Amino acid sequence: MFIAILASIISIGVLILVHEYGHFVFCRIFGIKVDEFCIGFPPRICGIYKKDGRWKFFFGKSLGGIQTEDTIYSLNWIPFGGLNKIESGGEETGVKSSGRDFFSKPWWQRALVASGGVIFNVVLAFVLLSIAFSIGSYQDIDAIHSSKAVIRDINLRIIYIQPDSPAQKVGLKSGDIVSRINEVIPDSVKEAQNLIGGSVNRVNLEIIRRKQKMNFEIEAQSSDKVFGDSKTEQENKKSVIGVALARLGKVSFPWYLAIGKGFLKTFQIFGSLFYSLYLIVKNLITEQRMIGEFIGVIGLTAITTEAARIGFDYLIQFVALLSLAIAATQLLPIPAIDGGKILVYILEGIRKRPINRKLEGYVDYIGFWILIGLMAILTYRDIVRIIKGAIHQ
C-alpha cells in the first residue's frame, strides 16, 4: 500500500511538473526570461542556479541577495503544485523593458506560452496511452477485431454494478473476476447471463479479487425490480443480480500500431471530456443542478493510489486520463487559469491594444482565491467521504 500511495503522489507531481514545464519551454522558445522554475509551492527547500557558467546549489528560501542571470530551479515543501515565475517587466510594472519580459512579446506568443501547459499535458497523455497499447491493457476482447492484437490473461469481469441491486448489497465490486457461477465455469458473457437467469432463487458466485478467491450467495431478483421495466415481459421476469459483465483480456499491439491507437484515443478522450464539461455547464444553467461528482486533491490521490495498487497498466492509463482532464479544465475561459489568460491575449489581438493590466490583475486575484476556496471545500468533502467509507466498512 505504501508503494501505491508513493506512486500516486509521484504521478500527480509529474502531471503538474509536465504542465509547468510546457509553459517554461514556450518561454524559452520566445526568449522570455523565467526568474524561477518551481516544483511544488513555497516555502522553498533548496535550489540551483547558474553563475559565471557554473551551477550553484543553495538551501533555504533566501539567496542572500545574489542576483542570478538565468533561471533558478527550486524544490518547495508543498508537493502538489508548481509554477514559473516569469519576468513581467515593462508594461505591467512600469520598469523599463529588458526585451525578455512577458508583456513585451506579441499577443500570440503570450497566448502560446499560456497554452504550453495544456499542450504538454496532451502530449504526455498521448505518450502514456501509446505505451499502454504497446505493453497491453485490459479491454473487451469481443470488441477487438485486429489480427495483429496479442491477447492474454482472458477472464470474465464485473464492469458495472447497479446501485441498490442484490450484487451491491452483498459487496461485489467492479473489477471482480467471475470464476464460477453455481459451480459452472462460464465461457462467455451470454453463458454467465443464462446461468444467472436460470437460477430460481439464489446464485452462488466464486469471485477472484486481488488474487484471493471469495464466495458470495446472492438472492436473484426479476429484472424489472433491479433495472426497471424493459420492452418485453420476458425480459422483465428474467432473474438478475444487477451487474454488467465483459470478457476482458490484456490486449497489446505492435509499437507502430500502438502509436496510432494512442493518438486516436487521446483525442477521443479529450473530446469526451469537453462534452462532459458542456453537459455540466448546461445542467447548471438550465436545470440548476450539478451532474457528476467533483473531487479534491485527497480524493484524487486516493483514486490514483487504487489504480497503482491494481497494476502499472491501470496507473498509466489513469494518469493519461488525469493529464487530459487537467488540459481540458485549464482551457476553460475562467480567470486565474490558463484558459482565462488565453482568452485575454486573443482579445488583445482582436482589439489590437492591451487590456488594462491592473484590471486583469484584480480579476486574476479574485479568481485565484475563488479557486483556493473551491479546493478547500473539495478537500473537506474528500476527508468526510473517506471517514464515512471507513466507518461503513
Side-chain angles (χ1 to χ4, degrees), residues 21-32 112-113 116 119-120:
Y21 187 65
H23 295 306
F24 178 80
V25 167
F26 277 88
C27 283
R28 289 293 200 189
I29 290 171
F30 298 127
I32 299 169
L112 279 173
V113 169
I119 293 169
F120 269 55

Side-chain angles (χ1 to χ4, degrees), residues 202-215:
R202 294 186 177 274
V203 180
N204 293 300
L205 256 63
E206 183 183 83
I207 297 295
I208 299 174
R209 181 186 299 168
R210 301 175 188 173
K211 299 182 179 179
Q212 293 184 341
K213 288 185 178 180
M214 306 173 70
N215 291 288

Side-chain angles (χ1 to χ4, degrees), residues 251-262:
V251 183
S252 59
F253 295 90
W255 67 268
Y256 53 90
L257 289 179
I259 291 172
K261 289 182 176 293

Side-chain angles (χ1 to χ4, degrees), residues 163-177:
D164 298 321
S165 65
Q168 187 190 54
K169 289 173 182 176
V170 299
L172 291 180
K173 295 183 179 181
S174 294
D176 285 346
I177 297 171

Side-chain angles (χ1 to χ4, degrees), residues 83-94:
L83 60 103
N84 289 280
K85 293 182 180 177
I86 300 173
E87 183 172 308
S88 299
E91 187 181 334
E92 186 184 74
T93 62

